[in-house]
Amino acid sequence: MTRRFLGVPWLFAVAYSAVGFSLYFAIGVVADRGLGLTPLIFLAAGVLFVLTTLTYTEGSVMFLERGGSTTMARYAFNELVSFAAGWAILIDYVIVIALAAITVPHYLAPISDSFSHSGGEVLTAGAVIAVVAGINMLGVTGRGRQRVLVVLALADLALQLAVIGVGAAVAFEPDLLTAELDLFASPSLEDVIYAAVIATVAFAGIEAASDLAPDLEFEPPDLKRVLTAGAVLVPLVYAAMAVVALMAVPVVATPQGPETELAGRFIDDPIMGVVQSYEPAWLADVMRWAVAVVAPVVLVWAASTSMLGVSRHMYVLATNRQIPSWLGKLGREHTTPYVAIGIAAVMAFGLVIPADIEFLAGVYAFGALLAISIAHLAVIRLRVIDAERERPYRIPLDVMVRGHRLPLPAMIAAVITILAWASVIAFHDGARYLGGGWMVFGLVGYVIYRRVVEGTSVTKRVTVPAEALMKEPPEVEYGSILVPIFGTELDDDIVGTAGRLAAAAEPDSPDGRGSRLDVIYVMALPLTVPVDAPAPKEQRERAETALRRAREVGEEYESVDVATDIVSARTVGAGIVEA
């Protein structure tokens, strides 16, 4: 989104805001179970976030392709693992949109209470989702809005630092942090694990931030400075915000046990709850209005960024034939995947209606930890199978394992995230059923699509050009196109290119069809065999298999007829000429 001419501080501001917005809804759900240990839990989550950022940075800048964990898994493992990572992240993008939309009306309460009450909450959240979907369908999130977004990112960071600074000045009572703390009892070990896993909602946006890689021009020293600043600032801001929050809205004893209103009355707007607890009253009013001005805009922008992530991920999955092409269909005027955006908007609105932030955070953790674990394992494996590839950035602290330099931070993070994902399955029923159901549905659909519809391997990469996702082709003049294939991995690319050209032709036949692909497979016969003699059975079966696959690829393009034929000749070149 930003180019190097904006400078390193600008790049850092955008990258930070891609994840910093989660504080506006994360503190309450973590404090619900973390209680007095919430600051330490956020500090630990911040450290894990830094390790995860190192992994995503190495993987993203190594390939400079969109897709985040999906792309890393594609190069490190295969298309099946790549799809699993991408499918897990898709539900997380939708959940972030829903979380941001649910939270916006509560941060607008200083303007009018009607935003956050009953029907007003759902209507406002629906309006946010509609606006976000419209912005992304129209493609107005590109470079023309760079400076506006960067200013917003800096305003977000400044507001969070102001909340921390003012809170430290007027609500500094460290004793409140431990007043109701009883280690291994309140909170219990299970509560701490549960809260720590939910704290991964702070990772919201890391995949979207990794999608910036193809849009950036940077020098390795710049990248290292950004990562160093992030490694210091992110954990400290997360932990400091939690400290201030629990001093301003402390954990207190109740008949049901220790509780904090951050997880009760303020669970939908914890930062607003923090600042309205400040004294004197005029200071609380000033801070409330500062939050009301900045937070809703930041959250809408975060939802828009996540919707952009949906569109980019669906595009990547569609062009790699991991989902049907119509799901990634691009509009001609704005070249945005309007079908995917529309489906994501409907799903997000469906998740908004129950308005259960805790449930959504748990399901988010399921998807995020799965995808992040795959990303860590992918970067580790790439150090083994593709060690010679140029890496503009390398994770520091390598260890030698069987002659390979493996990144120790990624190895540690992989173990943590895998264990954390297992704990989600063990302790969070909603995440286990909804998240597990989502993955089963996606994987079964993927296998059926690949094996039954496409007739191809579930692990082999098969691509189509972006033009195949266009709703309407441009006007060019092509009629019948002769396409020779050879039964190799290049056949899909050959037919795909020809299909794109054929689809670009004006429909001129009486039945309204467009151009035609004449796909041929030339069987070169030796001089000892007559040209018109039946071909060997094995050779004919290979030809028929290749032609069937070519027809499937060609028919992905609208208004294109595909004809196939087997041509016998002395040489491949002669067969092509004769055809």
Side-chain angles (χ1 to χ4, degrees), residues 559-572:
S559 302
V560 175
D561 288 319
V562 181
T564 60
D565 191 20
I566 298 175
V567 176
S568 298
R570 295 300 179 195
T571 65
V572 173

Side-chain angles (χ1 to χ4, degrees), residues 466-490:
E467 289 78 1
L469 304 181
M470 298 291 289
K471 181 179 180 182
E472 297 180 20
E475 297 182 5
V476 293
E477 296 180 0
Y478 283 98
S480 175
I481 301 177
L482 181 65
V483 186
I485 61 173
F486 310 97
T488 68
E489 293 183 355
L490 294 176

Side-chain angles (χ1 to χ4, degrees), residues 123-366:
L123 288 175
T124 304
V128 169
I129 294 171
V131 168
V132 164
I135 288 173
N136 281 272
M137 284 185 181
L138 296 175
V140 296
T141 56
R143 297 188 183 92
R145 308 284 177 166
Q146 283 177 5
R147 294 189 181 275
V148 174
L149 297 181
V150 169
V151 169
L152 179 59
L154 292 176
D156 176 28
L157 180 58
L159 175 63
Q160 292 178 6
L161 294 177
V163 171
I164 293 170
V166 173
V170 302
F172 188 73
E173 296 184 59
D175 292 345
L176 294 176
L177 298 173
T178 57
E180 298 298 326
L181 184 63
D182 184 2
L183 287 180
F184 305 113
S186 178
S188 67
L189 180 60
E190 180 179 330
D191 287 334
V192 171
I193 294 174
Y194 187 97
V197 168
I198 296 300
T200 59
V201 76
F203 294 6
I206 193 169
E207 281 275 347
S210 72
D211 277 338
L212 294 173
D215 302 321
L216 293 174
E217 292 176 355
F218 56 84
E219 298 294 335
D222 294 346
L223 200 57
K224 290 180 180 179
R225 285 196 291 272
V226 170
L227 291 172
T228 301
V232 174
L233 188 60
V234 170
L236 290 181
V237 169
Y238 283 177
M241 186 68 81
V243 167
V244 168
L246 285 178
M247 290 191 297
V249 189
V251 177
V252 297
T254 71
Q256 292 76 36
E259 294 180 356
T260 170
E261 288 192 325
L262 290 172
R265 184 157 61 106
F266 301 125
I267 193 167
D268 294 313
D269 55 348
I271 303 302
M272 188 66 77
V274 169
V275 298
Q276 74 179 45
S277 301
Y278 290 168
E279 293 181 354
W282 67 265
L283 178 61
D285 288 340
V286 170
M287 293 302 297
R288 286 177 70 240
W289 278 101
V291 172
V293 168
V294 175
V297 183
V298 169
L299 289 165
V300 171
W301 178 74
S304 180
T305 301
S306 292
M307 187 66 83
L308 180 62
V310 168
S311 64
R312 288 183 170 185
H313 260 65
M314 292 290 271
Y315 170 85
V316 170
L317 294 176
T319 54
N320 285 279
R321 289 188 180 276
Q322 293 171 304
I323 58 174
S325 297
W326 63 267
L327 284 172
K329 186 72 74 176
L330 302 177
R332 181 178 181 183
E333 183 176 354
H334 301 292
T335 63
T336 54
Y338 60 94
V339 175
I341 293 171
I343 292 173
V346 172
M347 291 176 60
F349 185 72
L351 294 173
V352 159
I353 294 174
D356 190 340
I357 285 184
E358 291 179 278
F359 172 76
L360 292 178
V363 180
Y364 175 88
F366 178 96

